[in-house]
Amino acid sequence: MAKDYYATLGVRREASQDEIKKAYRRLARELHPDVNPDPATQERFKEINAAYEVLSDPQKRQMHDMGGDPFGGAGGGAGGFGAGFPFSDIMDAFFGTASAARGPRSRARRGRNATIRVELDLAESGFGTTRELVVDTAILCEVCQGSGAAAGTHPDTCDMCHGRGEVSQVTRSFLGQVMTSRPCPQCGGFGSVIRHPCQECSGDGRVRTRRTIKVRIPAGVEDGTHIQLAGEGEVGPGGGPPGDLFLEIVERPHPTFERRGDDLHCTVQIPMTAAALGTSLTMETLDGAEQIDVRPGTQSGQVIPLYARGVQRLNETGRGDLLIHVSVETPMKLDVEQEELLRKLSQLRGEERPPGKFAPGQQGFFSRLKDAFNGR
Ligand SMILES: [Zn+2]
Ligand SMILES: [Zn+2]
C-alpha cells in the first residue's frame, strides 16, 4: 500500500529535480486551498506536498524508491507543513519570485571554493600520483557546532523586527501610502541576534585551520587541468555546507621530452657517419633505459617512433607514443686526412657537383611526420 509519489506529481521515475519542482509548482498553484477550498482538493493538495517533500530530498527519494516509508510512519505522510517542508518553494509557486528576500535569512551559507596549484613532473602527470596537500581552510567550530552562540546560549529573537528579518516602512507618495520593506538593520536580516558569541570562532561558526589531505591525481592530467574535489573547500559561515576544492595542475618542463597531448617528442643528434652506417643508441625514457636502433641511411628530420611509450591517456586505457626526431650533424673542422677521405667518397659516389633536389616548403617535414604516425 506504499504510495507512488511519482504518480502523485505526474512525473517519470527518472525525473530530474528540476522537473519535479516544476510539476509541483504547477499543481500547487492549481490546488492551493486559497484557490480551491473544497475538501477533496485540499486532500489532494496535502498529497502533492507530501510527494514533493519526499521527491525533492535525495535521501527520502531513495528510501521511497526502495519501497520504504520516508516519514517513518509518524505523521502518516500527508503531514503538509512539517519541519522539513520547503515553504520557500510554495512562495515561489505563488509569487514567481525567489522568496529569499522574504522572511529571515539563514546564517548558514555555503563555503567558498578554493583553488590550489599542484606542481608535477612529467612522470607524475603522465602516470598519476598521490599527494599530501596542506590546505589553509575553515572548518566547523566544534564548540558551537556552527551556531556562533556561546555554549549554553542561543541566538535571541531580534526585538526590532521580531524575528522577521525585515522591517516595513510606510511612506507617503503621490500614489498614496506605500509600504516598503528592507532587511532589518539590527540583525542584518537574520531575524535573531547573537548576544553572547562563541569565543572560539567569534560567532562565525567556523575556525581557520591547516588541514592535510591526501589526493589521488589520475594519470594523464596535464598543465592547466582542474580537478574538482567536491566538499573539500572551506565550511560556510554559520555551519553552512563546504565549498569545493580545485586542484590546478602545473606541469614542470622535462629536460628531454616535450609533451603534446599524450605523445612525447624529443630530438636526438647523431653524426653523419652514424646516420649513413646505422647505429644503436641508449635512451632514458619514462620507462627506463631503452635501446634505439638507427637504421643505415637515416635522414635528418626522420622520426623514430616508440609506440605506447608516451603518457597514459586521461580516463582511458592506452598510452601515447614517444617520437624521436633525428637530427643529422654534418662534420665541421675536418683535418687533412678526414677531408681527403670525404673527397674520395664523393668521387666514388659521383657527388662532386650534386644538382640538389628542390621540394616545396615544409612538405618533406610533414610527410615524414605522417609516416611516423602511420608506422612506417
Ligand atoms: Zn564557535
Ligand atoms: Zn532584526
Side-chain angles (χ1 to χ4, degrees):
M1 63 154 280
K3 286 197 176 84
D4 180 0
Y5 286 134
Y6 293 100
T8 309
L9 291 184
V11 294
R12 298 169 300 131
R13 288 188 74 82
E14 53 281 354
S16 67
Q17 282 301 316
D18 210 41
E19 289 173 271
I20 288 168
K21 189 169 183 169
K22 274 199 191 119
Y24 167 71
R25 286 171 56 156
R26 189 174 46 76
L27 289 168
R29 232 176 282 142
E30 217 172 276
L31 303 170
H32 193 273
D34 289 351
V35 184
N36 221 329
D38 81 273
T41 311
Q42 282 191 38
E43 203 45 50
R44 180 109 168 77
F45 183 63
K46 278 187 190 166
E47 266 171 32
I48 64 156
N49 282 331
Y52 184 63
E53 184 175 343
V54 170
L55 298 186
S56 62
D57 178 325
Q59 272 182 6
K60 290 182 184 164
R61 181 176 178 180
Q62 196 185 13
M63 217 187 280
H64 173 255
D65 286 353
M66 295 191 301
D69 179 5
F71 293 102
F81 300 90
F85 187 72
F87 185 72
S88 64
D89 289 330
I90 211 169
M91 300 294 278
D92 264 16
F94 283 93
F95 301 103
T97 55
S99 51
R102 302 185 163 268
R105 61 192 179 99
S106 169
R107 281 182 199 278
R109 270 172 291 139
R110 187 174 181 274
R112 274 182 309 189
N113 294 340
T115 302
I116 50 177
R117 287 155 65 95
V118 182
E119 264 195 40
L120 301 177
D121 63 33
L122 184 59
E124 291 174 312
S125 62
F127 301 133
T129 184
T130 306
R131 273 290 174 89
E132 290 209 334
L133 300 170
V134 179
V135 280
D136 285 312
T137 189
I139 59 165
L140 191 73
C141 172
E142 298 229 324
V143 176
C144 64
Q145 288 299 312
S147 77
T153 71
H154 294 282
D156 294 331
T157 302
C158 172
D159 54 20
M160 189 166 184
C161 64
H162 307 288
R164 287 172 55 233
E166 54 185 20
V167 285
S168 305
Q169 210 174 2
V170 179
T171 46
R172 279 173 207 286
S173 78
F174 64 92
L175 293 171
Q177 288 195 342
V178 178
M179 186 141 97
T180 54
S181 43
R182 61 193 170 97
C184 171
Q186 180 166 298
C187 61
F190 296 125
S192 62
V193 178
I194 297 176
R195 295 212 196 282
H196 307 284
C198 168
Q199 300 212 324
E200 184 71 17
C201 63
S202 315
D204 190 34
R206 53 188 184 157
V207 286
R208 297 216 67 87
T209 187
R210 182 165 280 200
R211 207 155 58 92
T212 306
I213 55 169
K214 204 169 179 177
V215 289
R216 236 199 66 64
I217 295 168
V221 295
E222 59 187 318
D223 204 59
T225 302
H226 280 85
I227 299 172
Q228 184 176 13
L229 302 173
E232 296 284 359
E234 55 184 46
V235 159
D244 299 335
L245 179 63
F246 290 89
L247 306 185
E248 186 188 336
I249 302 298
V250 179
E251 196 175 85
R252 284 192 220 105
H254 190 274
T256 310
F257 301 120
E258 187 189 319
R259 179 173 172 182
R260 291 183 213 156
D262 306 320
D263 294 332
L264 299 175
H265 294 256
C266 69
T267 302
V268 63
Q269 291 186 325
I270 53 170
M272 181 190 76
T273 47
L277 300 171
T279 186
S280 169
L281 310 166
T282 305
M283 180 183 187
E284 206 48 56
T285 70
L286 293 183
D287 301 87
E290 294 230 13
Q291 207 69 15
I292 316 288
D293 272 331
V294 180
R295 274 179 261 164
T298 293
Q299 306 295 314
S300 199
Q302 201 164 319
V303 176
I304 302 171
L306 294 187
Y307 296 110
R309 287 284 185 275
V311 301
Q312 186 75 44
R313 297 189 205 286
L314 182 62
N315 301 327
E316 272 180 62
T317 54
R319 292 172 59 177
D321 303 324
L322 170 56
L323 302 163
I324 304 164
H325 299 252
V326 177
S327 167
V328 175
E329 280 186 312
T330 306
M332 296 191 294
K333 294 183 188 153
L334 301 170
D335 65 22
V336 177
E337 191 187 356
Q338 290 166 352
E339 191 178 336
E340 200 55 37
L341 276 168
L342 278 178
R343 285 203 189 286
K344 186 89 196 258
L345 179 64
S346 87
Q347 267 170 26
L348 284 171
R349 292 179 58 85
E351 291 171 351
E352 292 150 288
R353 291 184 62 83
K357 283 180 192 154
F358 298 93
Q362 292 264 295
Q363 192 202 36
F365 172 76
F366 281 121
S367 59
R368 273 196 300 274
L369 204 63
K370 224 163 49 197
D371 285 354
F373 279 105
N374 295 334
R376 261 178 284 156

